Amino acid sequence: MADEGTGLSEDCLLGIYLSNGSSKGTCLGFIITKIAQMTVADLRNAICVQLPTLPVAFKFQTKEGWPVLKTQEEAVNARHVVSTDYCVIIQRLYAKPRIGLVSVDKKALGFVFSEHNCCLNSFRDSITQQIGHIFCGSQYIFVDANGWPVSIDQEMQMSVLDILSDSSVCVTVDTGYKCLIECKTEECSVVLSKPAKKLRRPGKRELTFNTNKDEDRRPSAADMVDSVGDASATSKQILISYVRAEAVEHAASLKVALTKLGFSVFLDVDEIKFGVDWQDSLNYAVSNCEVFIPLVTPRYGETQWTNREVKLADVLGKFLLPVNFEEDWPPKCLAIQFATTQFIAWKSKEQLAREKSLTKGDNPCDTNMWDHSAVQRVAAEIAGRIKTYMRQQKMNSRGILMRSNSTLRSYPATLPRSSNMKIVTAPREGKPLVVISLHTKQMMFGERLKNIFEAKGYEVWCTTDSDYDVPDTQRLSQCSNFSWDEDTISPPVVESPSVTMEPLEMTPEMRRKRRKQFQAKADEAGVVIFVLSKAFAASQICQQQVFYCEHRKRCVPLKYEEFCMPGWMSMLIGTSTFEDAQRDSFDMTLCSRVETALMPISKKSVSPTQLAEERLSYEVSSLTDQMPQMGCVYIAGGTQFYYKDSRKICEAIGKHLADVETVTMVTGGFYGVGETLGRSFYQRRQAQELPLDVWHVLPEVDEQDRSRQTRQNKDRTFKELPYGTTVFSGSSVREREMIVARAFDICILVEGGPGAAHEAEQFDWNDHIVIPIKVTGGAAGGKFNVPPQIYQVPQGVLADDWSMLSDATATADEIGQSVARVVVSLQHRHKSGCSPTGTVPTPKKLRRKNSLTRQNCVTTENGKT
């Protein structure tokens, strides 16, 4: 300002302008305030109080034009954002930055919401999804600041930041380049069966084959342009998909065996680095692999990433070779998808029988141990299966080896650019098909829905119309009280004055045909409606149908009655907006939802569910950008202590974890467990003059009064904690729980109520480890519908250490030591991914110097930053 001391201590008028990025922008009004001792955070509060019209979210800009982060506002004096003419510039804050798109002659083409650090391959997907129509089908390439074009093969190695200039990215549209791509595609299709000339390690064999899925709908060579042209030097022939808690060591062992046989193998722990978008990387890996190998352990498909990976592989027509660690096939939650899929057993029947006869009391079916000979046998059988498919392809008279794609009519998520969108999203011949999934107890309600949608001109198929599992409908109509639990082998005998029904035997073949029929109908459908009820939630068949359709189809959940939603249902469809069958005129809103879901992609806006998912991904990315890169252990639990030794146990855990050099403590910023354990860790590190490494993650705001649980302001925002580092993420406590469950690998659970149980549920769904201190009770003891699988001993952890967590006779210090050893074992497993050696690494005492922390969000005990 002209005179820094003039008027700053007195009331002054400040004009507030909403900038569009290139000019001062629109004047929103002015405020009256003293800015001498104000921080930018204080200025934000004054603006919110005095101005009625403001963006939902906004950020400040300094006099020099620099953006001010929300975490910096408390540390920046307000005078830095007030110009010489007493104006304050704010900008709309979006979930993701806006990135402009310009041509080489500087003509504006539009803008895209995307992260600056995402790879160009993913950025191209965002362009296609948001403004792809502006290219009218033409090919385009990115151009960097030097004017150098970026090839498609280079896009995976470069990020938006590498070519960003003045908030814009330059592209060039060139028909000649399109011809070049087509020529390259034809060349690739010819040499796929020969050693490739692209960048790859010597000795790796090229795989090319198709599956037997949708043989009558093979994509043409023109359709495959994007698919083949998108290959990169980082793509691998085989991808291994697995549940971390159950099979991380098995996956690593299998990778070693397959690599020795000459295959290139993608394993997430080896390929995806910290800070890289996990979902984008997995999508790319699945899209560009040729063989997809799921390790089917008890929880495979019941975690978010395995659930999505296997569906994407199926949608893209990958060759699936499951390795089955279960006694039964197909697995329950994937029974529909794997109904006709052949598997490879993790151990041969002969080996299992031989081991059973030699062991006394030991379980040869213990899937935690996979011996070297069994791994080698499975790897050899995988190689044999692949060789058989390659031989079949060579017999193809067309001479071009291609993968076939699923004929899905609607796919709700964004497919990788290498996928064949024309096949996946092709319009259905004839009327749009609506599939209604419901329990037989709601059969009459299903008929009502069927009549509603048929009157709208849709073709409708209900799961109760199945040709294989429902008794004759004419006889059913004579039995008004008929009720058949779909999960039973046969329906109950139903007697009536006019008819006596015999039980209908459900043979395995009938079950297979029923699953196959549902799969065919669901694949063809434009939208699937789930009629949710108590019987639906308890039905294994209904659960299988939800597992098959979620993230694969556009789904509309319809709540038929009030009931307690089980964990699997809340994880799969809990974020969707429910329609309520008990509400008046529910059929009108339901029809509107279905009509919107059936709109062509080019005319349909992004769904609220997809927007919420993208916003959550952005929050997770923002949080991990601020956090240390390794070793974060999250603490969940109650805000009060009920078990007599819980406080001592928390203090002991904090003390022993502080002695482990690889641990960074992360709490939810609440009183009770988080406060006690966090302070114990902090004080131990502080006393030894070691790196403090304590972080707290709180939401920006929460509508509920949380003042008894944590340090909450009157406006429902939250205060920074007086020790450690506080960061803010999410717009509510519930959302914060979902964010941390995606961001961190390990969660320690002590006591806790429904909120802590929800956090444990989220960690489990995200295939992360929960360490429950079971002896403390509450959620950690199994209450509040906490997932029972969190009590299983994770791979790489000693059973004695794990059992100590539920031992009521153990001292607090013994439990603390066991927790520290468990954490070290898990971190070692995640870091190395190698097979167990029979010993657990010993926690290392800290010997490093104090490290610098981020200055924009650090608060310590004495107030220094």
Side-chain angles (χ1 to χ4, degrees):
M1 304 174 86
D3 186 351
E4 296 291 349
T6 305
L8 294 182
S9 60
E10 302 175 355
D11 287 341
C12 60
L13 275 62
L14 300 180
I16 310 300
Y17 285 82
L18 179 63
S19 173
N20 59 12
S22 60
S23 64
K24 182 180 290 187
T26 304
C27 181
L28 302 179
F30 67 88
I31 65 170
I32 304 173
T33 187
K34 297 182 178 69
I35 63 172
Q37 302 298 325
M38 290 183 71
T39 65
V40 175
D42 298 328
L43 181 60
R44 175 185 289 272
N45 293 333
I47 293 174
C48 292
V49 170
Q50 298 187 41
L51 290 186
T53 304
L54 287 170
V56 176
F58 63 90
K59 60 184 177 181
F60 289 94
Q61 183 176 300
T62 67
K63 292 180 290 186
E64 294 80 8
W66 305 334
V68 181
L69 299 176
K70 184 70 179 295
T71 52
Q72 294 173 322
E73 291 182 3
E74 290 283 358
V76 177
N77 192 283
R79 61 185 177 83
H80 291 296
V81 300
V82 180
S83 65
T84 55
D85 54 352
Y86 291 90
C87 294
V88 175
I89 307 297
I90 64 173
Q91 288 182 319
R92 170 73 187 276
L93 182 63
Y94 297 95
K96 292 184 178 181
R98 287 198 306 171
I99 300 174
L101 212 62
V102 299
S103 61
V104 288
D105 56 357
K106 302 304 179 183
K107 178 181 178 182
L109 302 177
F111 67 87
V112 175
F113 291 104
S114 178
E115 297 292 351
H116 288 129
N117 60 353
C118 78
C119 67
L120 291 183
N121 184 276
S122 300
F123 185 60
R124 184 182 286 271
D125 291 337
S126 299
I127 294 174
T128 302
Q129 180 185 5
Q130 298 178 35
I131 57 173
H133 62 277
I134 66 174
F135 295 104
C136 301
S138 300
Q139 296 291 335
Y140 64 91
I141 56 176
F142 297 108
V143 179
D144 70 5
N146 298 314
W148 300 340
V150 180
S151 71
I152 292 179
D153 289 346
Q154 293 170 330
E155 288 183 7
M156 196 61 188
Q157 281 76 45
M158 299 182 68
S159 69
V160 174
L161 285 173
D162 294 325
I163 62 172
L164 193 67
S165 177
D166 294 332
S167 302
S168 297
V169 166
C170 182
V171 299
T172 179
V173 180
D174 191 310
T175 55
Y177 187 73
K178 180 180 180 181
C179 296
L180 177 63
I181 294 177
E182 290 173 349
C183 293
K184 181 178 178 180
T185 302
E186 293 175 3
E187 180 183 348
C188 289
S189 65
V190 173
V191 302
L192 281 178
S193 60
K194 303 177 182 179
K197 294 183 179 180
K198 61 185 179 181
L199 295 176
R200 53 195 293 271
R201 287 181 291 178
K204 305 304 178 189
R205 62 190 67 173
E206 281 297 319
L207 308 177
T208 46
F209 46 76
N210 62 350
T211 67
N212 59 0
K213 191 171 184 177
D214 302 324
E215 291 290 334
D216 57 333
R217 293 190 179 273
R218 292 178 179 272
S220 64
D223 293 332
M224 293 297 294
V225 169
D226 288 340
S227 178
V228 182
D230 189 51
S232 116
T234 59
S235 61
K236 301 296 179 70
Q237 299 163 337
I238 296 175
L239 183 144
I240 300 177
S241 175
Y242 62 98
V243 176
R244 282 191 178 187
E246 296 176 331
V248 63
E249 294 170 353
H250 299 343
S253 300
L254 184 59
K255 177 183 177 179
V256 171
L258 289 171
T259 302
K260 290 181 179 179
L261 294 177
F263 298 103
S264 61
V265 183
F266 180 97
L267 195 64
D268 54 4
V269 294
D270 297 334
E271 309 290 340
I272 304 178
K273 307 305 179 184
F274 186 88
V276 176
D277 188 285
W278 193 269
Q279 184 168 346
D280 284 348
S281 298
L282 284 178
N283 284 349
Y284 179 84
V286 174
S287 174
N288 287 280
C289 76
E290 296 197 57
V291 185
F292 184 88
I293 301 180
L295 304 187
V296 183
T297 50
R299 290 174 54 201
Y300 189 86
E302 296 181 3
T303 65
Q304 179 173 222
W305 299 117
T306 56
N307 181 272
R308 294 184 178 182
E309 288 169 18
V310 73
K311 287 175 181 175
L312 180 59
D314 187 45
V315 167
L316 299 180
K318 302 299 178 180
F319 179 38
L320 268 64
L321 272 179
V323 177
N324 184 30
F325 288 76
E326 293 282 82
E327 295 183 7
D328 300 323
W329 186 265
K332 294 179 181 178
C333 68
L334 297 173
I336 296 174
Q337 178 167 323
F338 284 165
T340 58
T341 304
Q342 294 183 343
F343 66 90
I344 298 174
W346 73 298
K347 289 183 179 180
S348 65
K349 293 181 179 179
E350 294 77 11
Q351 182 178 358
L352 287 173
R354 184 171 60 255
E355 291 179 355
K356 187 175 182 180
S357 64
L358 295 175
T359 55
K360 296 181 179 180
D362 295 331
N363 182 13
C365 296
D366 181 7
T367 57
N368 283 322
M369 301 299 296
W370 199 18
D371 61 90
H372 180 72
S373 62
V375 176
Q376 298 300 313
R377 181 193 66 82
V378 169
E381 189 167 348
I382 290 173
R385 296 274 186 97
I386 292 173
K387 185 176 180 180
T388 300
Y389 272 92
M390 292 176 66
R391 187 183 303 115
Q392 292 174 351
Q393 290 300 320
K394 289 181 180 179
M395 297 172 62
N396 189 334
S397 59
R398 295 166 57 183
I400 298 178
L401 311 182
M402 299 178 300
R403 297 187 294 266
S404 61
N405 293 75
S406 177
T407 54
L408 301 185
R409 302 303 171 185
S410 64
Y411 188 70
T414 302
L415 285 169
R417 185 168 56 88
S418 58
S419 61
N420 183 10
M421 290 295 294
K422 292 182 180 180
I423 292 296
V424 176
T425 61
R428 180 176 186 263
E429 297 83 356
K431 300 177 180 179
L433 176 62
V434 176
V435 167
I436 302 175
S437 172
L438 73 166
H439 194 273
T440 50
K441 289 184 177 181
Q442 282 75 53
M443 184 183 296
M444 298 303 295
F445 181 70
E447 290 297 319
R448 177 185 171 188
L449 293 179
K450 191 173 184 179
N451 293 335
I452 290 174
F453 288 111
E454 286 179 341
K456 294 285 186 180
Y458 303 134
E459 182 180 337
V460 185
W461 184 80
C462 293
T463 53
T464 50
D465 296 337
S466 173
D467 300 328
Y468 303 102
D469 63 343
V470 180
D472 183 73
T473 54
Q474 182 177 359
R475 291 193 291 168
L476 279 178
S477 63
Q478 301 173 6
C479 306
S480 58
N481 294 325
F482 176 80
S483 176
W484 174 17
D485 182 356
E486 298 185 30
D487 295 330
T488 57
I489 296 299
S490 59
V493 177
V494 180
E495 298 182 357
S496 71
S498 58
V499 63
T500 301
M501 293 181 59
E502 297 297 328
L504 180 64
E505 184 69 24
M506 284 297 294
T507 65
E509 179 63 16
M510 291 178 65
R511 289 182 179 274
R512 188 188 67 81
K513 289 182 177 180
R514 175 179 58 190
R515 292 166 181 157
K516 189 174 180 180
Q517 182 182 28
F518 177 84
Q519 181 184 40
K521 291 293 185 180
D523 281 0
E524 197 174 355
V527 64
V528 178
I529 300 173
F530 295 118
V531 180
L532 306 180
S533 63
K534 183 178 180 181
F536 187 100
S539 168
Q540 185 180 108
I541 290 177
C542 294
Q543 180 183 7
Q544 291 170 356
Q545 292 169 0
V546 175
F547 264 100
Y548 183 76
C549 294
E550 186 271 338
H551 208 71
R552 182 194 297 265
K553 305 298 298 182
R554 297 193 183 98
C555 303
V556 178
L558 173 62
K559 187 171 66 174
Y560 177 78
E561 61 188 357
E562 293 294 335
F563 67 99
C564 181
M565 185 178 296
W568 67 264
M569 186 181 291
S570 63
M571 290 296 101
L572 290 173
I573 58 180
T575 57
S576 302
T577 304
F578 288 76
E579 300 298 330
D580 191 349
Q582 304 302 320
R583 191 178 58 209
D584 294 338
S585 303
F586 82 92
D587 51 338
M588 296 179 62
T589 56
L590 181 62
C591 288
S592 177
R593 286 276 299 275
V594 170
E595 182 179 357
T596 301
L598 290 172
M599 286 182 181
I601 290 181
S602 59
K603 298 180 180 179
K604 186 173 66 66
S605 60
V606 181
S607 68
T609 301
Q610 188 173 346
L611 285 174
E613 176 66 23
E614 290 187 0
R615 184 178 184 280
L616 195 62
S617 297
Y618 170 76
E619 292 287 355
V620 173
S621 177
S622 299
L623 177 61
T624 54
D625 283 346
Q626 299 179 69
M627 301 292 296
Q629 292 191 1
M630 298 293 291
C632 292
V633 177
Y634 183 78
I635 307 301
T639 56
Q640 298 181 28
F641 293 113
Y642 295 94
Y643 179 62
K644 59 183 180 66
D645 292 330
S646 287
R647 183 181 295 277
K648 293 180 180 179
I649 291 174
C650 287
E651 291 172 348
I653 293 174
K655 182 185 71 172
H656 289 289
L657 285 180
D659 292 336
V660 182
E661 74 170 336
T662 56
V663 170
T664 295
M665 179 68 61
V666 185
T667 82
F670 278 26
Y671 301 135
V673 170
E675 178 88 0
T676 304
L677 209 155
R679 280 193 179 275
S680 173
F681 184 98
Y682 182 91
Q683 291 168 359
R684 176 79 167 186
R685 290 277 180 95
Q686 191 178 48
Q688 299 178 11
E689 298 183 354
L690 297 172
L692 302 176
D693 289 342
V694 178
W695 295 69
H696 315 285
V697 183
L698 281 162
E700 296 280 357
V701 68
D702 192 275
E703 295 181 356
Q704 297 185 33
D705 181 3
R706 305 275 186 176
S707 57
R708 293 186 177 182
Q709 298 171 303
T710 187
R711 301 163 178 84
Q712 189 178 34
N713 298 313
K714 292 183 179 180
D715 62 354
R716 303 296 170 87
T717 59
F718 295 92
K719 301 177 182 178
E720 292 185 350
L721 270 68
Y723 69 100
T725 304
T726 303
V727 294
F728 298 92
S729 184
S731 59
S732 67
V733 170
R734 193 77 166 180
E735 187 174 87
R736 188 278 312 272
E737 293 169 353
M738 299 170 68
I739 292 169
V740 296
R742 290 194 183 191
F744 308 123
D745 289 333
I746 300 174
C747 170
I748 296 176
L749 178 62
V750 182
E751 289 199 14
H758 178 255
E759 283 187 306
E761 190 175 53
Q762 288 290 331
F763 269 87
D764 179 70
W765 171 240
N766 283 280
D767 198 8
H768 292 157
I769 301 295
V770 178
I771 304 175
I773 315 303
K774 192 173 181 179
V775 69
T776 60
K783 295 183 178 179
F784 310 110
N785 295 318
V786 72
Q789 54 266 26
I790 69 173
Y791 300 107
Q792 298 174 4
V793 184
Q795 271 197 338
V797 173
L798 294 179
D800 289 344
D801 284 332
W802 195 257
S803 63
M804 185 71 70
L805 310 182
S806 56
D807 187 354
T809 63
T811 66
D813 197 63
E814 289 173 336
I815 293 175
Q817 293 178 17
S818 293
V819 170
R821 287 193 294 268
V822 168
V823 169
V824 170
S825 301
L826 293 173
Q827 289 185 338
H828 175 74
R829 186 193 72 178
H830 287 169
K831 181 178 180 181
S832 64
C834 58
S835 300
T837 61
T839 60
V840 177
T842 304
K844 296 180 180 179
K845 296 290 184 178
L846 282 168
R847 291 293 183 267
R848 54 181 176 168
K849 296 179 181 180
N850 200 353
S851 58
L852 295 177
T853 51
R854 296 176 179 266
Q855 62 179 8
N856 61 347
C857 51
V858 175
T859 305
T860 59
E861 193 83 48
N862 55 12
K864 295 182 180 180
T865 59

